Amino acid sequence: RSVITKMAETIASKRLSGRPFTAVVEGNIGSGKTTFLKHFSRYDNVAIFAEPIDMWRNCNGYNLLEYMYTDAKKWSFTFQSYVQLTMLRIHQKKIVQPIKLMERSVYSARFCFVEKMQRDGLMLPPSVSVIDEWFKYITSMEDTAVDLVVYLRTTPEVAYERILKRNRSEERTVPYDYIQALHEIHENWLYNKTLHTCPAPVIVLDADLDISVISEEYKRFEPHILNKIP
Ligand code: DCP
């Protein structure tokens, strides 16, 4: 049976169980996740969820993203706890469309960002274990199941250039080394598959391509996300 047939069957069974076909878009900071999501906004059978960065910038008036980059040792745990909660809420959002497309997930939060903070000693083992206890509980729910991971694969140089160019105020202190390390973590998680576990099959896109040609690359992968509707 073809991959498409199998995918169609998966979608049909997911619809019966009430959960939509769920694809999560992953990749380094600056890999173009937002642009990728925008590309799919033209399809009305897809519900799109951008990352809740505005919530991270304003948790009852506190800019946790800014705190995290300003004093990581003090605020990493606070920030990642809130990321985990806000991502969970998106995983749980009920939709009428048959397909859900999300920017990031509880998985990259734990396997990439908490991973990096732990390695750097910015999140201490007791804090990581609290995140992990929540993570185990959360990922045991059907709501957080994922059917496809879209990996926007960049070189760290290109991702870093884009970050500099967009000039997001909280990211002004992010050094190249951080992007390089996050790149390696994403690679080992989704490409080499030597770190943690993938929550679903992974498709890999060349996300280094310039914005002027990248929609062709997106188009190439559309069937994985769309044509599986029976
Ligand atoms: N971030 C974090 N921990 C997480 C998720 C994100 O520290 N669990 C930080 C990294 C960035 C910011 O939040 O500073 C947003 O990161 P993303 O890579 O998720 O989103 P971008 O907007 O950078 O994505 P893209 O440029 O690919 O559109």
Side-chain angles (χ1 to χ4, degrees):
R1 284 179 301 133
S2 75
V3 173
I4 298 292
T5 316
K6 269 193 245 159
M7 291 286 198
E9 285 169 5
T10 317
I11 290 193
S13 70
K14 291 287 156 39
R15 275 168 151 180
L16 288 177
S17 76
R19 192 173 66 77
F21 179 85
T22 304
V24 297
V25 185
E26 304 287 3
N28 209 341
I29 306 173
S31 58
K33 295 179 290 295
T34 309
T35 319
F36 183 86
L37 292 188
K38 272 197 199 124
H39 177 88
F40 285 89
S41 61
R42 66 191 75 173
Y43 302 106
D44 53 15
N45 56 350
V46 184
I48 294 175
F49 294 91
E51 188 173 59
I53 189 164
D54 289 339
M55 299 181 80
W56 308 343
R57 284 173 147 159
N58 183 3
C59 176
N60 299 313
Y62 301 109
N63 185 341
L64 302 182
L65 182 66
E66 173 79 27
Y67 291 174
M68 189 268 299
Y69 277 126
T70 310
D71 188 345
K73 191 140 197 168
K74 186 166 176 185
W75 295 111
S76 287
F77 174 75
T78 310
F79 176 69
Q80 292 300 339
S81 301
Y82 195 53
V83 168
Q84 195 159 243
L85 172 65
T86 55
M87 291 308 310
L88 170 63
R89 283 190 179 143
I90 295 178
H91 281 286
Q92 290 185 313
K93 266 240 158 70
K94 299 277 176 271
I95 56 169
V96 292
Q97 295 89 334
I99 302 171
K100 186 187 241 188
L101 187 59
M102 290 177 60
E103 181 176 8
R104 291 212 181 275
S105 60
V106 290
Y107 300 96
S108 52
R110 171 61 188 89
F111 296 156
C112 300
F113 289 94
V114 172
E115 174 73 26
K116 173 71 179 134
M117 289 163 182
Q118 178 182 28
R119 287 183 188 184
D120 292 344
L122 296 171
M123 202 189 288
L124 298 176
S127 301
V128 176
S129 67
V130 172
I131 294 269
D132 278 349
E133 287 305 302
W134 275 108
F135 181 78
K136 276 187 263 172
Y137 175 62
I138 285 166
T139 54
S140 68
M141 300 172 185
E142 172 71 9
D143 291 338
T144 50
V146 162
D147 302 290
L148 184 72
V149 177
V150 180
Y151 176 29
L152 301 187
R153 189 172 188 230
T154 50
T155 54
E157 291 83 3
V158 168
Y160 191 63
E161 247 173 57
R162 290 181 187 156
I163 295 167
L164 293 181
K165 211 158 130 197
R166 80 174 167 209
N167 199 19
R168 193 181 268 157
S169 68
E170 291 87 350
E171 290 169 356
R172 65 193 176 279
T173 55
V174 175
Y176 175 74
D177 285 359
Y178 188 74
I179 299 305
Q180 161 77 45
L182 268 182
H183 167 73
E184 295 302 332
I185 290 174
H186 277 85
E187 284 286 282
N188 290 336
W189 176 38
L190 298 175
Y191 196 79
N192 304 319
K193 302 191 177 168
T194 52
L195 180 68
H196 301 294
T197 48
C198 295
V202 182
I203 55 172
V204 182
L205 275 70
D206 178 0
D208 264 354
L209 295 171
D210 191 75
I211 188 94
S212 57
V213 286
I214 205 148
S215 66
E216 284 311 304
E217 176 77 349
Y218 293 166
K219 273 223 154 339
R220 213 155 66 77
F221 285 90
E222 270 182 10
H224 288 270
I225 295 157
L226 301 173
N227 286 0
K228 295 164 290 150
I229 298 301

